[in-house]
Each structure stands twice: as C-alpha cells, then as structure tokens.
C-alpha cells in the first residue's frame, strides 16, 4: 500500500506558503497598477531569483496552488491504487512549483525554465499510463506541439534581451516605457506563437483534446487551471512590450475569435464528456485572449481565475462520473442525478458557470470580457474597430453555443432514468464541494453592467432552450459530421495548416514508435547522405586521412588567399 | 654565376634526384641510402648558406642516427632485399597530384614574395653564435625540447615493448 | 651568466613536468609496482601547478584561465585513469610520465609568446599523446590508432612548420610581439603572408580536431583507452585552442582579413560535418568523438571575433564547460567499458535506471553539450559563443551555429533517451561483472557532475571568474 | 646567391616528401617521406636566416629544434612500426590500419 497523504501534506505546505506570499499582494486590482521605476539590468542570460508578484500574479498563483491541493486530495481516491502513485504525486508538486516560478519570476530565463519544466511534467503526466498507445501518442503530441511553440518563446526572449539590454521583465517594462515599444511586432508575434502552442489555440489546438487519455485529475490540473492558463498569463505579463502594436493585437483577436467559436462548436457535437470539456477549455481560453486583445488584460486574468475554478470542478466531476460509470462516453451516462447527488449539484453549478448563468462567477467574468470587447469597438485601443465588432459578434454567438453545449452535456449526463447505484468517495466529493462554493463565492463583489448582462443572459437562455429542444439529437448531418470530425483539422492536418505543424505532427507520430528519433528521421535523407559521405572517408587507412589533411590545407589556403 | 651558386645548383639537383629515388625506389634499403644522399646534399646547402653548425648536426643526427635507425627497422621488419611488386598504395594518383600541387603552390608563393632577394651571407651561424642565441633568447624552448626528447625516449621504449609478452 | 627564464610563463609547466619524472622514478624504484605510488607525485605536481599559478599568476588573464582549465582537466584524467589500475598491460609509471609531459606541453602552448616555443610545445603535447594512445601493450587497435594519430600529426606539424618558415621569411621574427609589429609594414609580401598564416594555423586546428583536419579523431578516440580519449578531447584541445586564441589575438592581429574567413569556414565545416556524422553513431565513445569535431567548430567560431574582448573570452568560457563535460562523459564511459565491456547504445540502454551514478551524469553531460535545460550552463555557453559572432557581423555564421545547435540536440537527446529508457530485456541481476577499481573514477564523475550542476544553477560563477 | 634557389629546392623536397608520405605502402618508407618534408622546412629556415643575417639567429635555432624534434618523431614512429610489426606481422600500411 502506498502512503498517499504525505504528498497531500507536501502540496498543502507549498499551497500555504503561496498563500502567505500572494495574499498580501492582492490589494491592488489592476494588472497595470504597478508602475516600475527602477530595475537592475542584467545583460548575460543570468538566472537571477528575483521575483515580482503583481496582484494578478497573486490571483493566478492562488488559483494554481488551490486547485493543485484539491487535485492532490482528489487523487488519493482516484489514483489510490496506481502503482506509480509516487512519481505521479511528486510530478504534481513539481508542476506546481514550476507554475509558481513562471508566474512569480522577474527573470525571463527562469520563466523559460519553468515553462519547459511544465511542458515536461505535463508530458510525463499525460503519458502516466504509458502502457496505452493513445496515452503515449497524446503525451508525445502535447510535448512536440507545445515545444514547437516554445521555440517562439526562446527567440522572443533573445529578442527582448537584445532590444532592451536586460532579461529582467521589469527591466524590459521600464525600457519599453522609457524608449517606447521597440520591435513590438516581432516580440509580440513570437510570444503569441508560444502561447498559442501552450494554450492550444488555433492552429496548434489539436494537442489538448488528444491529451485526454491522461488521468482525469491531471486534466483538471493541467488542462483547465494551470498550464494552459500559463499561456494567457505570460502573454498578459509581457503585454507592455507589444500592447500598442496593432498587428499583434489583430492577430490575437483573429486567433481568439476563430478558436472560441470553432472549439465551442466541436464541444457541441462531442459524444465524449471529457473531450467535450477539453474543447470547452480551448474555447474559454480564447475568451481570455479576446479580452487581452481588447486591451483589458486584467479582465482576461479574472476570467482565467474563474474558469480555472469551474473547469477544475467540471473535470473533477467528470472524473467521479468516469469512476462510477467506467467510461467517459456520454451514451453510457444518464440518470446520474440520483445516484451521484453531490456530483450532480456541484457540477450543475459548474455547468451554470460555464454557460454564464447568474449568479455564478462565470457569468460575471464572461460579461466583463464581453463588456471590454464592446469598449474596444469604440476604436480607442490598438485593436481596429472593425475587428473588434467582428470579435464581439463572434463572442456573443459563442455564448449561445457555449450555453447550448453546457446544457446538452448536463442533460445527457444527469437526466434520464437511473441505471444502477454508484458510490462517491468522500475525498473525491469534497474537493468538488470546495470548488462549487468557490464558483459562487468568487462572484461576490464583481461589478455588473446591466445592458451586457441582460443581452448575454438572453443569448445564453436561447442557447439553453435550443439544447432542450434538440435533446440528445445530433445536429443536421451536413453540420454534424464535419464538426464531429473536428473539421479534419487534426488528421490530414497536412492540407490545412502550414508546414511547421505538419512536420511536427508527423514526426511526433514517428517519434512515438521509435523512442525519440526525431531529427534523424525528420531530415533523414539529407543527413543520411552527408553523414554517409563523411563517414565513408573514415576508411581506417591513414594515408587517406593524411590526404584529407593535405587537401584541407590547400582549401583553407585558397580561402585565406582569395578572401584577402 | 659565382662558384657557390654553381655548387648550390649541383647540390640541389642531387638532392631532388635522390629524393625522388628515395620515395620511388622499390628496393627499400636502396631507398634508405638515397635518403642519405639527399640529407647529405641538404647539409652541403646549409654550409653554403652560412649554417656551419647545422650542417654538422645534420650529418651527425640524420646520417649518423636516423638513417641507421631506419635501416635497422627495415631489416627487423622484412627481408631486406625482397622487392615487392606494389610498393605504393592505391592512394598513389592522389598523392602524386597533391605532391605536385604542394611543390607548385609553394614555388609560386616564394617566387611571388622573394624573387628579387639575394643572400649575402654576412653572419655565419657558428657554434658560438648559435649557442649564444640559444641560451640568451630561446632558453625556455630549449628546456621544453629536453622534456620532449625525454618523453619521446620513454614513449618509444614503452611502445616498442608493446606486443612482447615478457612484461 | 644567469639563464633567463620567465617563471610566470614556465612555472606550472616545469613543476608538472618535474613531477611526471618523479612519477616515473617512483614507479621504477618502488619495490612493488603500484599504480597509486606513481600517481601521487603527479597529483602533487598538478596541485603544485595550481599553487604556482596562484602565486605568480601567468602571463595574462587568458593564459591563467587556460592554465587552470588544463590543470584541472589533467587532475580529472589522472583520477579517471585509475579504472585501468588493475590492468597488467597498462604500465603506470610510463602512463603518468607521458600524461604529465603532455599536460606540461599544453601548459607551455598557452603560455608561449613566440612560435619557436609554440612548435616545441606542440610536439611536447603530441609525442606523449601518441604514446598514450598506443600504451595498452599488445593491443592491436591501440597501436593502429597510435599510428593514425602519429602520421596525421606529423604531416600537420610539417605543414605548420612550413607556414612558420614562410612567416619567418616574410617578417624576420617569430615572437608574437615582433609579428604584430612587422605585419603592419606594407613591405611584407602579401601573398606569402596569407599562405604562411593559414599554414601556421593548420597544426593548431589539427589538434582541435576541426574539419578538414579531423580525420584522425574518430579512429583515435575509439582505439585509445577511453580516459585517454577524454584527455585528447579536453586537455589537448584546451592547449590548442588557447594557443590559437593567443596567436590570433596577439601575433596575427594585423592580418585578420586572412584568418577570419578561414576560421569561419573551418568552424562551419566542423560543426556541420561533425554533427551529421554523429547522427548515425550508435556508440557512446563514437558519438562523443564526432560530437567533439562539431564542438571544435563551436570553439573556434567565436575566434573570428577574437580581437574584441568578448571574442577572446567567449571561447574560454565555452571551453571550460565543454572540457569538464567531456571529461565527465569519457570517464563515465570508461567505467562502463570496464564493467560492461562495451559502450554501444545497446549496452547503455537503461543505464540511468540500473546505475544512476553513471547514467545520470552521462545524461547531464549530453544535455550540457546539447545546451538544453536543465543543464543551463550548456545553454549559457552556447549563447556566449554566439554573441560575439553576431556582434562582429558574421550573421551567416551565427545562423549556421544556431542550426547546428538544433542538429546537435538530436543525437544528444537520443543518448539521453537511451540512458533513461527501459532495457528491452532486464539484465540478469548478477551477471559476471569483472570487479574493476572504479570507485575513484566514479567519484570523479560525481564531482564533475556536481560542478556542472552548480554552474547550471549559478552560471555567474563561470561568467564572472573567467576573463 | 639568389634567395630563390634554396626556396625552390625546398618546395620541391616538400612536394616529394608529401608524395612519399601519402603513397608509400611500407610504414618505414612513409617515415622517410616525413623526413624529406621536415628537411624542406629546414632549408627555408636556414635560407631566410642567412638572408636576414640577424644576430638572434631565429631561423637556425628553430632549424636546430626541428632536427631534434624530427629525431624524436622518427624514433617514436619507428617504435610504433616495430609494435605494429609484432602485433600484426606486417608493416604494410594498407593492411595494418584496417586491423
């Protein structure tokens, strides 16, 4: 028997430390309330341990620590009999530490390291059940796709360092404030590439749903509350370096608009609860990016926190359901209202928050996102007015679709006739209760704009009514089929999305079969040829070597003489 | 053309011819002996270029020691008179091209750089003057050289002992 | 008449060479031949070298740093060599003498300020190295490797000497100071100088194992005992790189229009060919051999900017980390070879699981050489060598370097994967492993890895303390 | 005497030596080629030294060193040849290296 509670205690210690550290920072509300004045420039890629916790960083840290703690508690029941529990639990703690490093640090290289460690942890956790082929495939896909995005972050960091002469985030802020944003477009687009990968936005969205074979608590932790959120957070954190750049903001708006609607539609037609929730995450992340594109980073972070709470709730609830039913297929569910009462009530709150029903926190933060996009249509932000209008329309349509799929999932899971009796282990239900309470409690004191609230509620109710009307019927075939196939964006990714992703996806596949043979296979032909040629000269005959040296001497002499 | 020049040219011709024979001869011992001729001719050139001490060193070290070693090695490793049909490797065409290129390239270089210069020979390199320079300016190099010789000695001993079983 | 010797130049080298001689004597006259009895004097000599370095310093900061790297590297080799201490075919006294002589040769190389001393020092490094490669008695492969290295080395020395002769003919002097003074003179024949400079560099590039003077590297590294291969890959390269940097920065600074393109081309060829050849390697030592060809490219690339302060210090910092990582890697492989009889990837599979004391350091070394976090120091030094190249305006070379970093990732990470993956069939718990004296070498591996980890956490230690 | 005479002689010897090193099958003969190359270098050094007529005699000193180094090299080289002969029974360069 593996002793499980020490890991919970360890997580709790970290969480308490985070709380003690972060709570005093919460007093300011605005992300940009902090005006940096002085910064010590560090030119070399040093790894200073400086931290800078802003109010919104504190929120994200508290969210991460809280959800991690609950997940750890939950896992004692969910994963209790797993023989690799020890590495699982420790990886979760490592993951939290990396997340905190990303959120709290003031040094871009520490940020990069934390970012990479998160990627590796998530790889290992998704692939926790590596005996299953789809687990391995999903894990490898997540690693390779996010790593592709990570290249963007690495290059962005170097560009920032070269532009502002420092690798301190605060230092770069000061630089951008003093001399104006330089190379904003380049930096912004590079960071965008990174976060698009990490937060699973179009066109690098495919890894997140495929990561679902991982343990469900991990899904709740990584793919709802922390890792994907880190993408949003980092983009907001570095915003002062490119926030005025129209190109970057427009690109962000386009990415988020496309992603939010597309992912919501995918969620609407899923027959798998967990996968539907995964697409829902992608869609909600796009909301956060939309808020940032509209120039309201703090609104985006608020939605991040609220989404973290209710999506963790939903995933953990989904875990209870899967634990009871034994599968995540919606067809196997139904009638769980009476057999899993605690799960039913808490998940109802979760779905309400997802659909944006008052008085849950999801309602308020989503409304603020809509409100901020509305403000952006006045044309006072770097986002062009037309783009903002389009984004606003898409966002409202997405509200409709979101409410519809939330209702649909809720109905299919809980309504109907009970099948047989199930059990809810207490250590799995009380994290749900805690999160359910949080979903309601966090809405206390949130501001309310009546016009937006009325409109969005109307739209959401329409969506719910739509779902009630359709019941569990699929959409009409011509709509249903391509959406259920996720527009084919995943499989023959080859035709729709530019070269980079293709190679990555293919290589990921090959890599999975061969261990890691990534590059040798990627560049097999050229490398193979040259490599053979180089090695063909290694005949073992000394005089051939000496000849090579002599020829080489001639060549370099020619280089020297000609270059002169 | 002065007498030293004429002598130098003759020595040069001898050196080149014997060098060609040294690398070309099929009789290995003959090749070693042709090497002696080349080295002797070079020693003669040294004398003509004011390097008296070096000429003596050349004769003593090379002719007296190195060539003897070479001949010994030849005798120890194969039958001294047996000529072999293929005394060269398959690498020969490439080697010929490279050798020719080296000669032409170096010749072109020195012709480009020094075609108008003449040696007047004002300052002979006697044992005294070389010794003076050696111990005034090049002491460190000299000391290092002594370590090189010692290390090479030990290295040669330990390597040549290799393969014998009686260690 | 007092003999003028500049002790700042010669101090550590003289101490090390003397102690090497003592090591031989101890071995010869000690009643029972013992490995450790003869290694102690050399160890003492190396420590004495450190003391001397601290006491008098060296000619300048660059040479002092190189001296430090060479001494430290030799200490690691000396400790690592104890894995061979129970082999009858390995004579301890001779080994220690040759090791000490070669090390002192490297020391003189970096301290030399004239080409005469440099040539002699190169030979002092080369001749004992040749013998070290073929030292294992009765080993055909060792002798064949030794011959390979000997012949290529002799040819490259002859070419270098021709360059030196031409350089002497053009300027009339062979001291670095004299060269930099005379080369400014418009009267020197341009064509001769160009040929002379390039030919002179051949010998040093050969020692570095840079393409196209690399042909000896794979055969020699495979044929020599693994620890000696580590010596060639670290200490020997440190000497060559140091000499190259000093020569370019001081002696040949006026003719940088000749050697900058040469160095750039050589660096490009080394990185690319070395990496490509390493891709197909399925053997630990072979991979490190080809990778050292590629790394030679990274070492010399920043030398294109050696006339700037950064261009001079960047290769040093890279070298320090590279040498340490390589020594740890080779020493670990030497232990593996002793205990498992092979260093092929099949043998190494799962090493990090079954023998974490060797497998984890090896994985860390691979990450360091790749420049991949968590081995941050590898990443830092990659950046360090890239920067002067960019600043100097050789953007194409920087791009080549960046591409090669990616290429390198492939085979280094494959080694890591091999090390951590599960062996296909679990090796029987108690196979007949020959008992080998691997304790000290394993300890050296641990210490070296610890140093790398510390540097990864605090890269400032390296960046601030090297010039 | 024109400086060019010894220099051209040196060039010729260097090329011949290089050919010998690269082409000869017998390891001892390869060493003979090496000796020729080094002698070529020596000729140049001595020629320049005589031409400059400097008191330091840099050229002749280096020549002295090169002769000594060549002796050391040849000694070690022959030792390796002997070891090779004992190990393989042949000093045929083509065969020995593929062993």
């Amino acid at each position: 028997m593996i002793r499980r509670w020490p890991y919970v205690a360890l997580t709790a210690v970290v969480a308490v430390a985070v709380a003690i550290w972060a709570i005093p920072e919460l007093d300011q509300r605005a992300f940009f309330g902090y005006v940096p004045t002085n910064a010590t420039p560090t030119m070399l890629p040093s790894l200073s341990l400086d931290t800078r916790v802003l109010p919104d960083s504190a929120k994200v840290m508290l969210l991460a620590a809280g959800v991690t703690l609950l997940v750890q508690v939950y896992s004692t029941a969910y994963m209790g009999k797993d023989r690799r529990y020890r590495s699982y639990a420790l990886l979760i703690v490592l993951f939290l530490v990396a997340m905190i490093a990303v959120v709290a640090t003031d040094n871009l290289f520490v940020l990069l390291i934390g970012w990479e460690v998160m990627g590796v942890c998530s790889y290992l956790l998704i692939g926790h059940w590596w005996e299953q082929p789809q687990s391995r495939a999903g894990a490898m896909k997540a690693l390779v796709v996010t790593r592709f995005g990570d290249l963007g972050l690495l290059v962005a960091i170097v560009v920032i360092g070269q532009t502002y002469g420092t690798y301190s985030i605060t230092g770069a802020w000061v630089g951008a404030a003093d001399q104006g944003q330089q190379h904003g477009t380049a930096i912004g687009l590079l960071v965008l590439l990174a976060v698009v990968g990490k937060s699973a936005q179009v066109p690098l969205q495919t890894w997140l749903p495929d990561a679902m074979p991982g343990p469900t608590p991990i899904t709740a932790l990584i793919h709802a509350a922390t890792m994907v959120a880190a993408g949003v957070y980092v983009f907001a954190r570095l915003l002062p370096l490119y926030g005025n750049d129209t190109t970057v903001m427009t690109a962000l708006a386009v990415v988020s608009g496309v992603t939010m609607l597309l992912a919501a539609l995918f969620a609407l037609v899923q027959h798998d609860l967990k996968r539907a929730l995964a697409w829902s995450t992608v869609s909600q992340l796009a909301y956060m990016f939309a808020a940032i594109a509209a120039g309201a980073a703090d609104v985006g972070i608020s939605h991040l926190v609220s989404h973290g709470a209710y999506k963790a709730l939903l995933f953990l609830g989904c875990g209870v359901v899967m634990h009871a039913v034994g599968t995540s297929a919606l067809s196997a569910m139904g009638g769980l209202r009476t057999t899993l009462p605690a799960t039913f009530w808490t998940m109802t709150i979760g779905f309400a928050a997802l659909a944006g029903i008052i008085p849950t926190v999801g309602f308020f933060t989503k409304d603020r996102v809509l409100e901020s996009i509305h403000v952006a249509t006045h044309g006072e932000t770097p986002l062009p007015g037309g783009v903002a209008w389009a984004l606003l329309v898409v966002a409202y349509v997405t509200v409709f679709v979101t409410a519809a799929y939330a209702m649909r999932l809720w109905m299919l899971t809980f309504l109907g006739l009970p099948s047989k009796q199930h059990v809810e282990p207490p250590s799995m239900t009380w994290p749900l209760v805690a999160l359910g309470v949080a979903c309601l409690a966090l809405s206390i004191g949130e501001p309310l704009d009546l016009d937006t609230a009325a409109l969005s509620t109307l739209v959401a109710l329409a969506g719910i009514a739509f779902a009630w009307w359709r019941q569990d019927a699929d959409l009409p075939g011509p709509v249903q089929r391509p959406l259920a196939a996720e527009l084919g964006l995943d499989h023959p990714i080859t035709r729709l999305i530019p070269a980079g992703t293709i190679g990555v996806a293919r290589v990921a596949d090959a890599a999975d079969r061969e261990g890691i043979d990534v590059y040798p296979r990627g560049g097999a032909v050229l490398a193979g040829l040259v490599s053979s040629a180089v090695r063909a000269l290694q005949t073992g005959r000394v005089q051939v070597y000496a000849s090579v040296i002599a020829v080489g001497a001639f060549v370099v002499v020619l280089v020297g003489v000609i270059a002169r | 053309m002065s007498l030293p020049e004429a002598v130098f040219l003759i020595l040069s011709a001898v050196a080149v011819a014997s060098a060609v024979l040294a690398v070309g001869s099929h009789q290995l011992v003959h090749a070693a002996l042709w090497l002696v001729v080349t080295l002797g001719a070079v020693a003669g050139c040294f004398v003509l270029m004011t390097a008296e001490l070096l000429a003596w060193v050349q004769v003593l070290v090379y002719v007296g020691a190195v060539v003897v070693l070479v001949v010994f090695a030849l005798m120890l490793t194969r039958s001294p008179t047996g000529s072999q049909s293929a005394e060269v490797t398959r690498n020969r065409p490439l080697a010929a091209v490279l050798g020719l290129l080296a000669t032409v390239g170096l010749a072109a270089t020195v012709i480009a750089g020094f075609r108008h210069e003449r040696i007047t020979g004002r300052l002979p390199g006697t044992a005294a003057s070389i010794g003076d320079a050696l111990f005034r300016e090049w002491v460190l190099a000299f000391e290092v050289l002594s370590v090189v010789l010692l290390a090479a000695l030990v290295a040669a001993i330990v390597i040549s002992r290799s393969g014998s079983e009686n260690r | 008449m007092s003999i003028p010797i500049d002790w700042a130049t010669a101090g550590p080298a003289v101490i090390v060479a003397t102690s090497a001689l003592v090591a031989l004597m101890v071995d010869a006259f000690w009643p029972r031949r013992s490995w450790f009895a003869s290694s102690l004097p050399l160890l003492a000599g190396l420590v004495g070298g450190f003391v001397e370095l601290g006491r008098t310093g060296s000619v300048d900061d660059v040479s002092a740093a190189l001296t430090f790297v060479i001494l430290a590297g030799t200490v690691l080799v000396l400790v690592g060599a104890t894995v061979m201490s129970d082999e009858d075919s390995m004579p301890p006294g001779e080994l220690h003498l040759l090791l000490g002589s070669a090390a002192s040769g490297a020391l003189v190389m970096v301290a030399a300020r004239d080409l005469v001393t440099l040539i002699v020092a190169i030979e002092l490094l080369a001749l004992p190295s040749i013998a070290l490669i073929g030292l294992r008695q009765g080993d055909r492969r060792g002798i064949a490797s030794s011959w390979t290295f000997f012949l290529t080395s002799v040819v490259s020395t002859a070419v270098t000497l021709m360059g030196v002769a031409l350089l002497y003919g053009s300027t009339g002097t062979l001291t670095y100071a004299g060269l930099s003074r005379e080369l400014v003179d418009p009267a020197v024949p341009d064509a001769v100088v160009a040929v002379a400079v390039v030919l002179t560099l051949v010998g040093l590039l050969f020692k570095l194992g840079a393409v196209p003077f690399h042909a000896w590297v794979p055969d020699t590294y495979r044929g020599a005992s693994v620890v000696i291969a580590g010596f060639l890959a670290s200490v020997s390269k440190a000497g060559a790189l140091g000499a190259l940097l000093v020569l370019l920065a001081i002696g040949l600074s006026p003719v940088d229009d000749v050697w900058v393109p040469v160095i750039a081309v050589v660096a490009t060829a080394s990185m690319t060919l070395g990496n490509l050849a390493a891709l197909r390697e399925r053997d630990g030592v072979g991979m490190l051999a080809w990778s050292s060809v590629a790394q030679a490219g990274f070492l010399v690339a920043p030398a294109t900017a050696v006339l700037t302060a950064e261009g001079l210090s960047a290769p040093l910092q890279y070298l320090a980390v590279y040498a340490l990582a390589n020594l740890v890697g080779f020493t670990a492989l030497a232990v593996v070879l002793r205990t498992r009889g092979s260093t092929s990837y099949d043998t190494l599979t799962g090493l990090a699981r079954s023998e974490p004391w060797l497998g984890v350091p090896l994985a860390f070394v691979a990450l360091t050489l790749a420049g991949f976090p968590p081995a941050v120091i590898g990443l830092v030094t990659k950046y360090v060598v890239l920067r002067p190249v960019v600043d100097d305006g050789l953007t194409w070379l920087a791009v080549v370097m960046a591409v090669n970093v990616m290429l390198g990732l492939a085979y280094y990470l494959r080694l890591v994967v091999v090390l951590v993956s599960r062996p296909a069939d679990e090796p029987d718990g108690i196979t007949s492993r020959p008992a080998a004296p691997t304790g000290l070498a394993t300890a050296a591996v641990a210490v070296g890895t610890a140093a790398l980890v510390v540097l990864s956490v605090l890269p400032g230690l390296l960046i601030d303390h090297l010039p | 005497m024109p400086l060019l005479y010894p220099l051209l002689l040196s060039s010729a010897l260097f090329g011949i030596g290089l050919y010998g090193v690269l082409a000869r099958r017998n390891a001892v003969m390869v060493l003979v080629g090496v000796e020729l190359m080094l002698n070529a270098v020596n000729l140049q050094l001595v020629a320049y030294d005589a031409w400059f007529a400097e008191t330091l005699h840099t050229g002749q000193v280096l020549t002295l060193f090169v002769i000594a180094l060549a002796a050391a090299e040849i000694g070690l080289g022959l030792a390796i040849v002997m070891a090779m002969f004992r190990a393989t029974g042949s000093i045929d360069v083509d065969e020995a290296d593929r062993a």
Side-chain angles (χ1 to χ4, degrees), chain A residues 157-228:
Chain A
I157 287 175
V158 173
V159 174
I160 292 172
Q162 293 298 327
T163 306
Y164 296 109
T166 175
Y167 288 100
S168 145
I169 297 175
T170 315
W173 281 22
V174 175
D178 288 351
Q179 2 167 342
Q181 295 172 1
Q182 299 178 3
H183 302 137
T185 313
I187 298 174
L189 290 179
L190 286 167
V191 177
L192 184 61
L193 174 64
V195 301
V196 158
K198 206 70 159 183
S199 296
Q201 301 292 292
V202 170
L204 297 180
Q205 81 285 18
T206 62
W207 68 267
L208 183 56
D210 282 7
M212 289 305 129
T216 304
I218 290 311
T219 317
L221 172 68
I222 301 179
H223 304 119
T226 53
M227 182 163 119
V228 291

Side-chain angles (χ1 to χ4, degrees), chain A residues 43-47 84 109 112-113 116 130 147 151 154 158 162 167 515-517 519-520 526-528 530-532 534-535 538-543 545-546 548-553 556-557 559-561 563-564, chain C residues 147-148 151-152 155 159 190 193-195 198-199 202 206 212-216 218-219 255 257-258 261-262 265-266 273 276-277 279-281 290 372 376 380 383-384 387 406 409-410 414 417 422 456-457 459 463:
Chain A
M43 192 49 214
L44 271 173
S46 67
L47 292 179
R84 291 191 292 270
F109 277 94
L112 181 69
I113 291 171
E116 298 285 354
W130 47 260
R147 174 147 287 286
L151 278 181
L154 181 62
V158 173
Q162 293 298 327
Y167 288 100
I516 290 191
D517 242 358
Y519 292 85
L526 173 74
V530 181
S531 179
S532 315
V534 172
R535 296 164 63 88
Q538 299 303 127
T539 53
R541 291 225 292 286
V542 189
Q543 284 165 322
Y545 299 174
V548 170
I549 289 180
V551 173
V556 292
V557 165
V559 169
V561 173
R564 181 140 217 206
Chain C
W147 173 247
T148 303
L151 194 66
T152 48
V155 170
V159 173
D190 277 355
V193 167
V195 174
V198 179
L199 289 182
V202 168
F206 168 85
F213 313 107
H214 67 288
W216 58 277
D219 284 20
V255 287
D257 52 344
V258 173
V262 170
V265 167
V266 166
L273 294 186
L276 287 177
L279 278 178
R280 310 207 104 185
E281 200 55 67
W290 278 112
F372 193 82
V376 181
V380 171
Y383 173 82
V384 163
R387 196 171 40 157
M406 302 306 292
L409 280 181
R414 175 162 51 200
V417 170
R422 266 160 219 282
S456 283
V457 178
I463 307 292

